Amino acid sequence: MLTNYVYKLRSNQTQSSKMSAWVDMLRSQYNWCLNDRICQYNQHFIQGNYFEIRTKGEASPLTCFVSKNGATGNPWKDSKSDFEGKARNPRRSAGDIQITALPELKMARPWYNAIDSTVLQQNVKRLDVAYKNFFEGRGFPKFKNRSNFTSFTFVMGVRIKGNKIYLPKLGWMRFYNSRSIPDGFTIKACTFRKRLNGWYVSISHKLS
């Protein structure tokens, strides 16, 4: 069973400034990825769903692309063989395509190298969740501004020791240990959120 504990961080000025810069860059990345998907949809599939040539199955243009020239890149994975030895090219989701393009983002905008790669990946998956919610009837994903985009998530590389937490590319950071985490826990994800009175971390953990 997953349990969430929330703590207020005691970050220094340098760490707080870095996290604020991360949020600004991640918000831009999120909005760019959303715009990329919308542009692909408007450019190629405005008339509705299409049929894949390879599988002859119906696919939704809101999450799947066939264009190799768009910013979302090649929709097909490298060739693999199934259990019968036949070659197959599984279709990649829009999120997979955009995650694969992250090295290109870092080359075009080197300042994104300051952000941990898994944080960038989770930011794309955040948009995937927004699309999933849309298909379940909860509204189309919206572009984010400073008031409604205030967090980022780690899923790897985080360590906790007493009242200190280690974050890749941010280092060790103290927090107010208001509630002890039981021994033998495994960290599944850590979400850092900026509030009016400072930074908070929500730790999702699972007991071993």
Side-chain angles (χ1 to χ4, degrees):
M1 182 180 67
L2 286 176
T3 305
N4 291 334
Y5 286 1
V6 179
Y7 303 96
K8 185 175 182 181
L9 294 171
R10 299 171 60 187
S11 54
N12 58 40
Q13 186 60 45
T14 299
Q15 291 169 328
S16 295
S17 296
K18 283 185 178 181
M19 290 191 291
S20 294
W22 281 26
V23 168
D24 288 340
M25 288 189 285
L26 290 167
R27 183 178 65 252
S28 295
Q29 180 205 12
Y30 181 97
N31 287 338
W32 187 92
C33 288
L34 174 57
N35 184 67
D36 182 44
R37 299 190 193 192
I38 293 173
C39 287
Q40 286 289 312
Y41 173 73
N42 289 336
Q43 183 177 355
H44 298 286
F45 311 118
I46 195 65
Q47 294 181 346
N49 288 359
Y50 65 91
F51 286 89
E52 295 182 20
I53 296 175
R54 301 189 185 202
T55 65
K56 297 183 179 180
E58 188 176 21
S60 170
L62 286 172
T63 57
C64 301
F65 306 114
V66 294
S67 172
K68 293 185 178 181
N69 299 319
T72 47
N74 190 340
W76 302 105
K77 295 181 181 178
D78 293 335
S79 297
K80 296 181 180 180
S81 297
D82 58 21
F83 62 93
E84 294 179 347
K86 297 179 180 179
R88 59 186 177 87
N89 292 80
R91 171 170 289 281
R92 300 191 299 171
S93 68
D96 289 338
I97 295 171
Q98 290 177 329
I99 286 175
T100 303
L102 288 176
E104 298 176 20
L105 169 67
K106 292 182 178 182
M107 289 181 62
R109 297 169 175 80
W111 50 91
Y112 275 92
N113 285 294
I115 302 178
D116 181 72
S117 295
T118 63
V119 173
L120 291 169
Q121 293 169 11
Q122 289 302 308
N123 203 38
V124 176
K125 292 180 180 180
R126 180 176 182 171
L127 180 56
D128 287 340
V129 172
Y131 266 93
K132 180 177 180 294
N133 291 337
F134 164 66
F135 287 118
E136 293 176 354
R138 281 172 276 182
F140 190 78
K142 296 181 179 179
F143 291 101
K144 301 295 185 180
N145 55 43
R146 289 188 175 184
S147 65
N148 58 21
F149 192 101
T150 59
S151 65
F152 57 88
T153 299
F154 281 92
V155 291
M156 294 177 61
V158 178
R159 303 197 304 271
I160 295 177
K161 185 177 180 180
N163 66 337
K164 295 190 296 184
I165 184 169
Y166 175 80
L167 311 170
K169 297 201 174 185
L170 289 172
W172 286 99
M173 196 178 304
R174 295 183 180 274
F175 62 90
Y176 293 97
N177 196 0
S178 56
R179 182 183 181 188
S180 298
I181 299 178
D183 294 333
F185 67 91
T186 300
I187 298 175
K188 306 301 292 184
C190 289
T191 298
F192 295 80
R193 189 176 306 278
K194 187 176 184 180
R195 297 179 179 173
L196 292 177
N197 63 339
W199 285 90
Y200 287 78
V201 57
S202 174
I203 303 172
S204 298
H205 73 277
K206 182 178 182 180
L207 291 178
S208 301

